[in-house]
Amino acid sequence: MDKILGKIGIYDLIARGLTGIVVFVIGWIMGIFNIPGLNELINSIPIWAVLIAGYFCGLVLEELSYILEQIIRFRKRLCKRISSRKEYAAYNYKDCENKLISDGFQETIDEPLTHIVMSSALAIAFTIFLIMSIVVKKPIPLLLLLVALIFVFCYRYYHYSKRRIELIFRLYIAKYGNNTTY
């Protein structure tokens, strides 16, 4: 067990495991998973199986997030908008990112990624819950709560995406000054 835990990083635990478990718990509390016979099945499953299921749920949500990002390209458009600001216009985002990574700043610039992935995955999960709740005619307060959660996690996704892009530019400028030769 220690060997398995040693190979799992903080990103895996938070962005995948915690996200999946949060989705299960909130879905359970909201009654999304009220399926006849499911309660008895859940009560007979060991906790380690629930943790593994939560991890794989988070993994699926992360992949859905990635697919949607490839289709919508929100972060790419946001990066273009931030890159066009006067203070960053002389810098190429990808070149700055690659230089920082090659100089050992990977961990620093990737810190917001956990928040980005987790927020996106939770927004997707709550959107699915909202659709399921509408179909089975759940009460209006639950629907409003789900809409609020979707809004909060979409905003977090935007906030941390913006933060990561600005972090790369600011860190590059602080480390290398106005040097635009990469």
Side-chain angles (χ1 to χ4, degrees), residues 24-91:
F24 281 154
V25 169
I26 291 177
W28 191 263
I29 290 169
M30 292 181 165
I32 302 293
F33 303 127
N34 271 350
I35 299 169
L38 189 62
N39 284 334
E40 295 78 28
L41 178 65
I42 294 292
N43 291 334
S44 67
I45 297 175
I47 191 70
W48 62 265
V50 173
L51 295 174
I52 291 172
Y55 176 82
F56 282 105
C57 175
L59 187 64
V60 167
L61 289 170
E62 178 184 22
E63 289 306 314
L64 282 173
S65 170
Y66 176 76
I67 290 167
L68 285 174
E69 177 60 37
Q70 294 305 305
I71 293 169
I72 298 170
R73 298 197 175 282
F74 170 77
R75 287 191 349 216
K76 192 170 193 156
R77 289 194 316 260
L78 180 63
C79 183
K80 231 181 216 183
R81 195 173 79 224
I82 292 171
S83 296
S84 67
R85 290 185 194 161
K86 189 172 96 176
E87 66 265 29
Y88 305 133
Y91 302 95

Side-chain angles (χ1 to χ4, degrees), residues 89-110:
Y91 302 95
N92 179 295
Y93 173 78
K94 265 307 190 198
D95 291 339
C96 292
E97 180 183 37
N98 291 337
K99 177 70 173 152
L100 289 168
I101 289 170
S102 71
D103 287 351
F105 289 94
Q106 176 86 41
E107 219 171 278
T108 305
I109 63 175
D110 280 353

